Amino acid sequence: MSDFDPLLRERLSAYRNDVVSRVTGPGPDQARRHLRRRRRMTAMAVAAAAVVLVVAPVVANAALRGDRNPPVPAESVEPTAPPTSTPSTPTPTPTGSPSTTTSTPSAPDGRISRAQLLATRVDLPSWPSGMAEGGCTTSKVRLKDDTTDTYVSMLADNEFEHGDIDGDGAVETIAVVACRYGEASAKQVVAFDRDADGRIVTVGRVVRTGDGFDDIRTTEITQNGSVEVRVADIVPCCGTPTYLRREQVRTYRWDGERFGQTDGPTTFGKDPRLTDLRLSMTHELVDVPGADTRQLTTVFTVTNAGPLDAPQISFRGFDFEPAGGDWSKCDPNPAPQADNPSCLLPGVPAGESRRYTFVHLVPGTTGPDAQNRRFWVYHHDAQERLWPDPKQDDNSVVLPFRL
């Protein structure tokens, strides 16, 4: 310091003495106050750290869940990075997203009109034996409408029916197809549908005539897809009265391959409206003096073998001149058929017999048109309606000579 200016040395010495006098060393009281302050600060830091350790997982879990529900403990959880301060952008929910399930194509609509069926060619199920040989075709048939031609496949007058008969969820069509073979027609109920291209196709035959009945009256598709067919035992044609017809409803259902009957009667059985009449005869033929005629007396015995009473009976085959006997008891207003006059008389109860006598005048000589004459007996009800006999072989008798 000898190199310094004496004046400068004096000033530095004065500054040091002033600073040293102002700095006071820490005594015992000062040290204790400092230690207590450090302990308080340490306790506060520890408490704050404990609060943070308790609250932080709950807050973090709530932030991750995005709701106020209490967290569900997991079996094993990996540490999760704390969320960043950058707000996440919610992912937009796609609308109308395609389903991963493959949908089954819907079945084609098999509702077919009469005009549409007439406008196309179809395959038909087989006709009864002999019909195909006559001309009732089955392959690629163009159906006719309202025709009187024989052995031509045609649509009957029955209404079309529509309904789901095969369980595919779409409707099919039921129609009655006919083929005339005279005054009557063979018929069958046929189911039609459409394929995937919209073409009309044949599903199959429900039922046809010849399967225990001779006529189809109506059809109907039920709610469960069955087909109800009203059938009749006879076709009232060719002079057959309609009151003789018996009807039944039979139910058929598709089993995946064919239609089969599931309900209703399968046969008509015996007609309970009929009774069995039996006829026998005796006769006498004598000459009439002074005339070219002879007198024929016939005595008929009618036995009713049952099971019903016959309120009235009629005899037919009488084409001679009446000359006495029970002719006077005949119905005064008979309904004779051409060349076969009849006589309507009171009938025979079941289990009983009645005798009827008729006297006729017949030619004295046998002419070129002479023949063995046959006589019949018939059952009539109280309304004078004629009923057939269940055993017709014993309903007639024949004279043993020609007249």
Side-chain angles (χ1 to χ4, degrees):
M1 299 296 294
S2 60
D3 293 338
F4 288 160
D5 183 59
L7 181 59
L8 178 59
R9 185 184 301 113
E10 183 180 355
R11 289 181 178 179
L12 288 173
S13 180
Y15 175 75
R16 181 177 64 249
N17 291 333
D18 182 65
V19 170
V20 170
S21 64
R22 291 178 179 274
V23 177
T24 303
D29 295 335
Q30 181 69 22
R32 284 191 292 270
R33 287 193 299 269
H34 180 68
L35 181 59
R36 286 195 296 269
R37 185 167 58 248
R38 289 183 62 184
R39 287 176 177 174
R40 285 195 301 268
M41 293 299 294
T42 301
M44 291 176 63
V46 171
V51 172
V52 170
L53 289 175
V54 172
V55 175
V58 177
V59 174
N61 185 73
L64 290 174
R65 288 176 58 85
D67 55 24
R68 295 186 178 182
N69 295 331
V72 178
E75 296 180 1
S76 176
V77 179
E78 294 294 329
T80 305
T84 62
S85 60
T86 305
S88 61
T89 303
T91 304
T93 302
T95 60
S97 58
S99 174
T100 58
T101 303
T102 304
S103 60
T104 304
S106 59
D109 184 4
R111 185 180 297 273
I112 303 167
S113 69
R114 188 180 186 89
Q116 290 170 335
L117 192 56
L118 288 171
T120 188
R121 293 186 179 275
V122 294
D123 292 332
L124 298 178
S126 62
W127 292 102
S129 177
M131 299 297 294
E133 291 79 359
C136 297
T137 57
T138 57
S139 179
K140 300 186 182 305
V141 179
R142 188 68 175 269
L143 295 170
K144 300 293 184 178
D145 187 27
D146 192 23
T147 179
T148 57
D149 295 338
T150 58
Y151 297 104
V152 174
S153 297
M154 58 178 290
L155 276 179
D157 294 334
N158 303 69
E159 294 290 335
F160 280 24
E161 294 293 324
H162 305 282
D164 184 8
I165 59 176
D166 57 6
D168 63 355
V171 301
E172 288 78 38
T173 298
I174 291 292
V176 179
V177 181
C179 190
R180 187 183 298 275
Y181 55 85
E183 292 189 33
S185 299
K187 298 179 181 179
Q188 52 182 326
V189 181
V190 183
F192 296 98
D193 199 357
R194 294 186 187 274
D195 61 14
D197 297 326
R199 293 187 295 264
I200 297 176
V201 295
T202 302
V203 177
R205 177 178 59 235
V206 179
V207 71
R208 72 181 182 187
T209 56
D211 295 341
F213 55 88
D214 287 341
D215 196 17
I216 294 172
R217 304 288 293 156
T218 62
T219 60
E220 181 179 353
I221 300 177
T222 65
Q223 291 184 350
N224 67 354
S226 297
V227 182
E228 291 185 349
V229 183
R230 180 174 290 275
V231 300
D233 58 342
I234 62 171
V235 179
C237 76
C238 321
T240 302
T242 58
Y243 64 81
L244 293 179
R245 179 175 57 207
R246 290 184 294 165
E247 298 184 0
Q248 295 175 346
V249 176
R250 303 183 182 183
T251 304
Y252 303 84
R253 191 166 180 84
W254 177 256
D255 65 1
E257 296 182 357
R258 62 180 60 86
F259 286 93
Q261 185 173 353
T262 59
D263 197 8
T266 58
T267 62
F268 277 94
K270 295 181 179 180
D271 192 336
R273 303 170 297 176
L274 308 183
T275 194
D276 180 17
L277 298 182
R278 300 172 183 176
L279 180 64
S280 61
M281 178 188 67
T282 61
H283 67 278
E284 182 183 24
L285 182 62
V286 297
D287 294 331
V288 177
D292 189 17
T293 59
R294 291 176 291 180
Q295 180 176 289
L296 173 64
T297 302
T298 54
V299 179
F300 298 102
T301 300
V302 179
T303 300
N304 186 348
L308 302 179
D309 293 342
Q312 301 182 90
I313 63 168
S314 70
F315 290 98
R316 299 196 178 185
F318 297 153
D319 56 353
F320 308 122
E321 181 181 351
D326 289 326
W327 280 107
S328 60
K329 299 178 182 179
C330 292
D331 184 353
N333 298 305
Q337 297 181 357
D339 301 325
N340 192 13
S342 65
C343 175
L344 188 64
L345 295 166
V348 184
E352 299 184 15
S353 298
R354 294 287 188 273
R355 295 179 62 183
Y356 304 89
T357 301
F358 296 92
V359 180
H360 320 266
L361 293 179
V362 299
T365 58
T366 301
D369 57 348
Q371 56 182 303
N372 294 101
R373 305 290 179 166
R374 181 179 293 272
F375 308 104
W376 293 265
V377 64
Y378 291 96
H379 160 215
H380 293 255
D381 60 19
Q383 289 76 42
E384 299 188 2
R385 297 180 302 182
L386 184 149
W387 294 89
D389 196 289
K391 299 178 181 179
Q392 299 183 8
D393 291 344
D394 55 7
N395 294 144
S396 63
V397 290
V398 180
L399 286 173
F401 47 84
R402 294 160 58 89
L403 286 176

